[in-house]
Amino acid sequence: MFSEMFSYAFMVRATIAILLISPLFGMVGTMIVQKRMAYFSDALGHSALTGIAAGVIMGIANTTISMIIFGICFALLLNYISRKGLSSSDTLISVFASCATALGLAILSRGGSFSNYSAILVGDILSITVAEIVQLIALFAVILVFWCISINRLTAISIHATLAKSRSISVRVMEDAFAVLIALLVMLSIKWVGILLINALLILPAASSRNISENFREYTYFSIVFSVFSGVCGLFVSYFTDMATGPMIVIIASVIYFATYIYGKK
Amino acid sequence: MKKNKLIFVLLLLCSITVVSSVGTFFYVKLNNNHTAAEDDILVMTSCNPVYIATLNVLDGVDGYRVENLSQPTTGCLHDYTLTTEDMKKLSKADMLIVNGGGMEGYLEDVMEAYPNLQIVDTYEDIEHSNGFIGMDTYLIKEEEKEHDHEEEKESLPLEGKVAAELTDEVSNEVSDEHEHHHDHGANSHIWMDDRLFKCQVTSIANALMEPNRNREETPISKNFLEYSNKLENEIDKQGLDKTLAGSNVAILHEAFAYTAQSLGANVVATMDLDEERQVSAGEVSEFLDAIRDNNVAIVFAEYDYGKSMGDLIEEQTDAKVVYLETLVHGSYDASSYITVQNSNFSKIRDIL
């Protein structure tokens, strides 16, 4: 059964992609949940539409580039305005997300052509190519290096920003760097995961892990395990049942969340 | 880390694995109905019209198996993404027959993933006049609606021109022009015009008969001739090609531009509605104005996405809306192209 599955090149590529993306989601997700940035990453996902629209307007053939540039600018701008403290951050993120989504939809649906871009809403991990897997390996390496270097500082900031500042940690630089990292992860994986599901994959494993963890090490390990398990199990089930891969991964991640929620309540 | 927490996590993951494995096993057991011989030539098709055409061409021919890719239950094919089942079938397929013209958005991915898979693009065959001289003028390009390309049109071959009259020079010129159009959105619902559908059937038969260089009579060529005659004799336009010739119509789905074309009617207003389409107020008023200004008596629409707009049109103008089938959805048998086309013509006849 499994040998037949791996006789298909697309399944081998999809499995490698899942094994690369899911630990990153599990890892980065812990900090997103810890720093209460779930809404921020959701807004970033939705801004992908505007990134594509910007690419279309500027005539950029590879819209992934315009998505990444737009995502980074969007994340930094959000951080900058949030720091000004003119409005509560959830309101601000909501305004930015709505505005970006509407702008993207308005441009892409001009002349009824939105159907050309609607595939990005649900994503398609099965059509990933070798070149794109190489991109994911590079992303994996970048995030892993950043994580090893910055995890302690990020954790300190997430616990108490002022205290972190007093320990000579540049809060602004770290927050911006982390926002850029989320933007990179979201934009480079959105084509495979889809706008509608990417936040679920970022949040669910970390939230499940948080339900049962007592320290940051447990929190990170469990999150990665849940994320990789949901990804691989979802891919295999979707292969045999012919259901979409992204939603199947989210369903399994949701089951884990509810089970850990009940266990954590005990 | 508490020991019982670790046990809980292990138990949880094992339970999910067991439940999903058992569920998947029974699902596969219930749905596994592949009976065809593995050494048959597997011909995959991308959409129902092409599937129907191929079924007819290969009807009763030994050594071939025709399978259609999974079809979306709603909406158009443009935004359809391949399922795992499709990918599995494609990896075993010997030939993939597609409608083409941008209808299959996933085609590039397929070509990249399966570089050895023979792809038959019926739209491209017609566009490049491969055996269908003159038929390429029936292809509807979106640019022609937006820009005045009269000069370009003059360089296109006329209907009925025979192959011998077309010099290589002109032929290349036409191909170049068309490549330019092809890159920008074309209306690829060509099967809705029965003349173009016949060309699609020819294109498919040609591709399947390719190894038969001497063009000897084979079961495939026999089927092709039989089905072509059927299309010629059994599609009953009920005199609509005379009644509607030269009259103005409006459409709520770009597929019906070909229906109008096959009846000789002029499309004066188009609003392409699908599940993701959001129309602006200005667009609606422009559409209604075009209907009034051009004395449009009939509007072709698809029920699922055009009903509410159809009701509005009937309320605001004197035009009647007729709901037609696009042949994209549902389970179709070999005779359904003729049945559905005739049913569409009957609906138009009834409303006039």
Side-chain angles (χ1 to χ4, degrees), chain A residues 45-53 63-64 67 105 108 114-124 186-187 189-198, chain B residues 79 81 276:
Chain A
H46 283 79
S47 77
L49 277 177
T50 327
I52 297 173
T63 47
T64 308
M67 264 200 305
L105 280 174
L108 295 178
F114 181 67
S115 57
N116 297 336
Y117 307 98
S118 59
I120 200 165
L121 292 176
V122 285
D124 181 17
V186 168
M187 296 305 170
S189 46
I190 207 153
K191 202 174 162 191
W192 324 120
V193 179
I195 290 171
L196 300 177
L197 303 177
I198 197 154
Chain B
D79 50 344
T81 51
E276 287 148 355

Short mmCIF file of all heavy atoms in Angstrom, two decimals, chain A residues 45-53 63-64 67 105 108 114-124 186-187 189-198, chain B residues 79 81 276:
data_model
loop_
_atom_site.label_atom_id
_atom_site.label_comp_id
_atom_site.label_asym_id
_atom_site.label_seq_id
_atom_site.Cartn_x
_atom_site.Cartn_y
_atom_site.Cartn_z
N GLY A 45 -1.71 36.13 5.95
CA GLY A 45 -2.18 35.16 4.97
C GLY A 45 -3.12 35.80 3.97
O GLY A 45 -3.00 35.63 2.76
N HIS A 46 -4.05 36.59 4.49
CA HIS A 46 -5.02 37.24 3.60
C HIS A 46 -4.35 38.29 2.71
O HIS A 46 -4.82 38.56 1.61
CB HIS A 46 -6.15 37.87 4.42
CG HIS A 46 -7.13 36.86 4.90
ND1 HIS A 46 -6.87 36.06 6.00
CD2 HIS A 46 -8.32 36.46 4.43
CE1 HIS A 46 -7.89 35.23 6.17
NE2 HIS A 46 -8.79 35.46 5.23
N SER A 47 -3.25 38.88 3.21
CA SER A 47 -2.58 39.91 2.40
C SER A 47 -1.88 39.29 1.18
O SER A 47 -1.45 40.01 0.29
CB SER A 47 -1.57 40.69 3.25
OG SER A 47 -0.41 39.91 3.44
N ALA A 48 -1.79 37.95 1.15
CA ALA A 48 -1.16 37.29 -0.01
C ALA A 48 -1.89 37.66 -1.29
O ALA A 48 -1.28 37.83 -2.35
CB ALA A 48 -1.17 35.78 0.18
N LEU A 49 -3.21 37.80 -1.17
CA LEU A 49 -4.02 38.17 -2.34
C LEU A 49 -3.57 39.51 -2.90
O LEU A 49 -3.44 39.70 -4.12
CB LEU A 49 -5.50 38.28 -1.95
CG LEU A 49 -6.31 36.99 -1.91
CD1 LEU A 49 -7.71 37.29 -1.43
CD2 LEU A 49 -6.38 36.35 -3.29
N THR A 50 -3.32 40.47 -1.98
CA THR A 50 -2.88 41.80 -2.42
C THR A 50 -1.50 41.72 -3.03
O THR A 50 -1.19 42.43 -3.97
CB THR A 50 -2.87 42.78 -1.23
OG1 THR A 50 -3.92 42.42 -0.36
CG2 THR A 50 -3.04 44.21 -1.69
N GLY A 51 -0.65 40.85 -2.45
CA GLY A 51 0.70 40.66 -3.00
C GLY A 51 0.63 40.16 -4.43
O GLY A 51 1.36 40.64 -5.31
N ILE A 52 -0.27 39.22 -4.68
CA ILE A 52 -0.44 38.71 -6.05
C ILE A 52 -0.95 39.84 -6.95
O ILE A 52 -0.46 40.04 -8.06
CB ILE A 52 -1.43 37.52 -6.08
CG1 ILE A 52 -0.88 36.36 -5.27
CG2 ILE A 52 -1.70 37.08 -7.51
CD1 ILE A 52 -1.85 35.22 -5.10
N ALA A 53 -1.94 40.58 -6.42
CA ALA A 53 -2.52 41.68 -7.22
C ALA A 53 -1.44 42.71 -7.57
O ALA A 53 -1.38 43.18 -8.72
CB ALA A 53 -3.64 42.35 -6.43
N THR A 63 4.64 35.77 -9.22
CA THR A 63 3.92 36.52 -8.18
C THR A 63 4.37 36.14 -6.77
O THR A 63 4.04 36.84 -5.82
CB THR A 63 2.40 36.33 -8.31
OG1 THR A 63 2.12 34.95 -8.48
CG2 THR A 63 1.83 37.12 -9.47
N THR A 64 5.13 35.05 -6.63
CA THR A 64 5.65 34.70 -5.30
C THR A 64 6.56 35.82 -4.80
O THR A 64 6.54 36.16 -3.61
CB THR A 64 6.45 33.37 -5.37
OG1 THR A 64 5.64 32.40 -6.01
CG2 THR A 64 6.85 32.89 -4.01
N MET A 67 4.47 38.64 -3.67
CA MET A 67 3.80 38.25 -2.42
C MET A 67 4.74 38.40 -1.23
O MET A 67 4.36 38.91 -0.18
CB MET A 67 3.36 36.78 -2.50
CG MET A 67 1.94 36.58 -2.93
SD MET A 67 1.31 34.95 -2.46
CE MET A 67 2.46 33.82 -3.16
N LEU A 105 -8.85 41.44 -3.70
CA LEU A 105 -10.04 40.91 -4.39
C LEU A 105 -10.49 41.84 -5.50
O LEU A 105 -10.83 41.40 -6.60
CB LEU A 105 -11.19 40.70 -3.40
CG LEU A 105 -11.14 39.44 -2.55
CD1 LEU A 105 -12.26 39.45 -1.52
CD2 LEU A 105 -11.27 38.21 -3.43
N LEU A 108 -7.92 41.61 -8.39
CA LEU A 108 -7.88 40.30 -9.06
C LEU A 108 -9.21 39.92 -9.69
O LEU A 108 -9.25 39.12 -10.63
CB LEU A 108 -7.44 39.21 -8.08
CG LEU A 108 -6.02 39.33 -7.55
CD1 LEU A 108 -5.72 38.22 -6.54
CD2 LEU A 108 -5.00 39.25 -8.69
N PHE A 114 -11.17 36.50 -11.24
CA PHE A 114 -10.68 36.01 -9.95
C PHE A 114 -10.48 34.50 -9.96
O PHE A 114 -9.63 33.97 -9.25
CB PHE A 114 -11.62 36.41 -8.81
CG PHE A 114 -11.13 35.94 -7.47
CD1 PHE A 114 -9.98 36.48 -6.92
CD2 PHE A 114 -11.77 34.93 -6.78
CE1 PHE A 114 -9.48 36.03 -5.70
CE2 PHE A 114 -11.30 34.47 -5.56
CZ PHE A 114 -10.15 35.03 -5.02
N SER A 115 -11.29 33.81 -10.79
CA SER A 115 -11.17 32.34 -10.81
C SER A 115 -9.76 31.88 -11.17
O SER A 115 -9.34 30.79 -10.80
CB SER A 115 -12.18 31.74 -11.78
OG SER A 115 -12.01 32.29 -13.06
N ASN A 116 -9.00 32.75 -11.87
CA ASN A 116 -7.62 32.39 -12.21
C ASN A 116 -6.73 32.31 -10.98
O ASN A 116 -5.66 31.72 -11.01
CB ASN A 116 -7.00 33.44 -13.16
CG ASN A 116 -7.74 33.50 -14.46
OD1 ASN A 116 -8.39 32.54 -14.84
ND2 ASN A 116 -7.67 34.63 -15.15
N TYR A 117 -7.14 32.98 -9.90
CA TYR A 117 -6.29 33.03 -8.71
C TYR A 117 -6.90 32.30 -7.52
O TYR A 117 -6.30 32.23 -6.46
CB TYR A 117 -6.06 34.50 -8.31
CG TYR A 117 -5.53 35.33 -9.44
CD1 TYR A 117 -6.38 36.10 -10.21
CD2 TYR A 117 -4.18 35.30 -9.78
CE1 TYR A 117 -5.90 36.84 -11.28
CE2 TYR A 117 -3.70 36.02 -10.84
CZ TYR A 117 -4.56 36.81 -11.59
OH TYR A 117 -4.08 37.51 -12.65
N SER A 118 -8.12 31.79 -7.69
CA SER A 118 -8.83 31.25 -6.53
C SER A 118 -8.18 29.98 -5.98
O SER A 118 -8.46 29.59 -4.85
CB SER A 118 -10.29 30.98 -6.88
OG SER A 118 -10.34 30.07 -7.94
N ALA A 119 -7.31 29.33 -6.77
CA ALA A 119 -6.65 28.11 -6.28
C ALA A 119 -5.84 28.39 -5.03
O ALA A 119 -5.63 27.50 -4.20
CB ALA A 119 -5.76 27.53 -7.37
N ILE A 120 -5.40 29.65 -4.87
CA ILE A 120 -4.56 29.99 -3.71
C ILE A 120 -5.37 29.96 -2.40
O ILE A 120 -4.82 29.90 -1.32
CB ILE A 120 -3.87 31.35 -3.90
CG1 ILE A 120 -2.66 31.44 -2.97
CG2 ILE A 120 -4.83 32.51 -3.68
CD1 ILE A 120 -1.71 32.51 -3.28
N LEU A 121 -6.68 29.98 -2.50
CA LEU A 121 -7.51 29.95 -1.30
C LEU A 121 -7.37 28.61 -0.57
O LEU A 121 -7.34 28.56 0.65
CB LEU A 121 -8.99 30.19 -1.65
CG LEU A 121 -9.34 31.58 -2.15
CD1 LEU A 121 -10.80 31.64 -2.54
CD2 LEU A 121 -9.06 32.64 -1.10
N VAL A 122 -7.29 27.52 -1.32
CA VAL A 122 -7.18 26.20 -0.68
C VAL A 122 -5.80 25.55 -0.84
O VAL A 122 -5.47 24.63 -0.12
CB VAL A 122 -8.26 25.22 -1.20
CG1 VAL A 122 -9.61 25.54 -0.62
CG2 VAL A 122 -8.32 25.20 -2.71
N GLY A 123 -5.00 26.05 -1.78
CA GLY A 123 -3.65 25.53 -1.97
C GLY A 123 -3.62 24.16 -2.64
O GLY A 123 -4.66 23.52 -2.80
N ASP A 124 -2.44 23.74 -3.04
CA ASP A 124 -2.31 22.44 -3.70
C ASP A 124 -0.90 21.88 -3.49
O ASP A 124 0.00 22.14 -4.28
CB ASP A 124 -2.62 22.60 -5.20
CG ASP A 124 -2.53 21.28 -5.93
OD1 ASP A 124 -2.57 20.23 -5.26
OD2 ASP A 124 -2.43 21.29 -7.16
N VAL A 186 4.79 32.32 5.76
CA VAL A 186 3.42 32.33 5.25
C VAL A 186 3.41 32.43 3.73
O VAL A 186 2.74 31.66 3.03
CB VAL A 186 2.61 33.48 5.90
CG1 VAL A 186 1.29 33.71 5.18
CG2 VAL A 186 2.36 33.20 7.37
N MET A 187 4.19 33.37 3.20
CA MET A 187 4.14 33.62 1.75
C MET A 187 4.74 32.46 0.94
O MET A 187 4.27 32.17 -0.15
CB MET A 187 4.87 34.92 1.40
CG MET A 187 4.22 36.14 2.00
SD MET A 187 2.46 36.25 1.55
CE MET A 187 1.92 37.57 2.60
N SER A 189 4.76 29.33 1.83
CA SER A 189 4.01 28.07 1.93
C SER A 189 2.53 28.22 1.58
O SER A 189 1.83 27.22 1.48
CB SER A 189 4.16 27.47 3.32
OG SER A 189 3.97 28.45 4.29
N ILE A 190 2.10 29.44 1.33
CA ILE A 190 0.66 29.65 1.12
C ILE A 190 0.16 28.98 -0.15
O ILE A 190 -0.98 28.51 -0.22
CB ILE A 190 0.32 31.15 1.14
CG1 ILE A 190 -1.12 31.33 1.57
CG2 ILE A 190 0.58 31.84 -0.20
CD1 ILE A 190 -1.41 32.63 2.23
N LYS A 191 1.03 28.89 -1.16
CA LYS A 191 0.63 28.27 -2.42
C LYS A 191 0.29 26.79 -2.20
O LYS A 191 -0.51 26.21 -2.91
CB LYS A 191 1.78 28.41 -3.41
CG LYS A 191 1.37 28.30 -4.85
CD LYS A 191 2.54 28.61 -5.74
CE LYS A 191 2.30 28.08 -7.15
NZ LYS A 191 3.50 28.12 -7.96
N TRP A 192 0.91 26.17 -1.23
CA TRP A 192 0.70 24.74 -0.99
C TRP A 192 -0.36 24.50 0.06
O TRP A 192 -0.99 23.46 0.10
CB TRP A 192 2.01 24.06 -0.56
CG TRP A 192 3.18 24.65 -1.25
CD1 TRP A 192 4.26 25.27 -0.71
CD2 TRP A 192 3.36 24.75 -2.65
NE1 TRP A 192 5.09 25.74 -1.68
CE2 TRP A 192 4.56 25.43 -2.89
CE3 TRP A 192 2.61 24.32 -3.75
CZ2 TRP A 192 5.05 25.69 -4.15
CZ3 TRP A 192 3.09 24.59 -5.02
CH2 TRP A 192 4.28 25.25 -5.21
N VAL A 193 -0.51 25.45 0.97
CA VAL A 193 -1.43 25.25 2.08
C VAL A 193 -2.75 25.98 1.86
O VAL A 193 -3.82 25.46 2.18
CB VAL A 193 -0.77 25.75 3.39
CG1 VAL A 193 -1.70 25.57 4.56
CG2 VAL A 193 0.54 25.03 3.64
N GLY A 194 -2.69 27.15 1.27
CA GLY A 194 -3.91 27.91 1.01
C GLY A 194 -4.19 28.95 2.07
O GLY A 194 -3.90 28.75 3.25
N ILE A 195 -4.76 30.08 1.62
CA ILE A 195 -5.04 31.20 2.52
C ILE A 195 -6.00 30.78 3.64
O ILE A 195 -5.84 31.16 4.80
CB ILE A 195 -5.64 32.37 1.71
CG1 ILE A 195 -4.56 32.98 0.82
CG2 ILE A 195 -6.27 33.42 2.62
CD1 ILE A 195 -5.08 33.99 -0.18
N LEU A 196 -6.99 29.97 3.29
CA LEU A 196 -8.03 29.63 4.26
C LEU A 196 -7.52 28.71 5.38
O LEU A 196 -8.09 28.64 6.44
CB LEU A 196 -9.21 28.96 3.55
CG LEU A 196 -9.90 29.80 2.47
CD1 LEU A 196 -11.00 29.00 1.80
CD2 LEU A 196 -10.48 31.08 3.07
N LEU A 197 -6.42 27.99 5.12
CA LEU A 197 -5.97 26.98 6.09
C LEU A 197 -4.66 27.31 6.78
O LEU A 197 -4.32 26.71 7.78
CB LEU A 197 -5.82 25.63 5.38
CG LEU A 197 -7.06 25.09 4.67
CD1 LEU A 197 -6.73 23.79 3.98
CD2 LEU A 197 -8.18 24.84 5.68
N ILE A 198 -3.92 28.26 6.22
CA ILE A 198 -2.55 28.45 6.73
C ILE A 198 -2.52 28.82 8.20
O ILE A 198 -1.68 28.33 8.95
CB ILE A 198 -1.78 29.47 5.86
CG1 ILE A 198 -0.29 29.31 6.15
CG2 ILE A 198 -2.23 30.90 6.06
CD1 ILE A 198 0.61 29.73 5.04
N ASP B 79 -10.62 26.89 -12.42
CA ASP B 79 -9.94 26.95 -11.13
C ASP B 79 -9.88 25.58 -10.45
O ASP B 79 -9.61 25.49 -9.27
CB ASP B 79 -10.63 27.96 -10.21
CG ASP B 79 -12.11 27.75 -10.14
OD1 ASP B 79 -12.63 27.04 -11.01
OD2 ASP B 79 -12.76 28.29 -9.25
N THR B 81 -8.45 22.15 -9.18
CA THR B 81 -7.11 21.61 -8.89
C THR B 81 -7.20 20.08 -8.84
O THR B 81 -8.21 19.52 -8.45
CB THR B 81 -6.55 22.14 -7.57
OG1 THR B 81 -7.53 21.94 -6.56
CG2 THR B 81 -6.18 23.59 -7.65
N GLU B 276 -17.63 32.66 -7.90
CA GLU B 276 -16.73 33.62 -7.27
C GLU B 276 -16.91 35.02 -7.82
O GLU B 276 -16.22 35.94 -7.44
CB GLU B 276 -15.28 33.20 -7.52
CG GLU B 276 -14.87 32.01 -6.71
CD GLU B 276 -13.86 31.17 -7.43
OE1 GLU B 276 -13.56 31.48 -8.60
OE2 GLU B 276 -13.39 30.20 -6.84
#
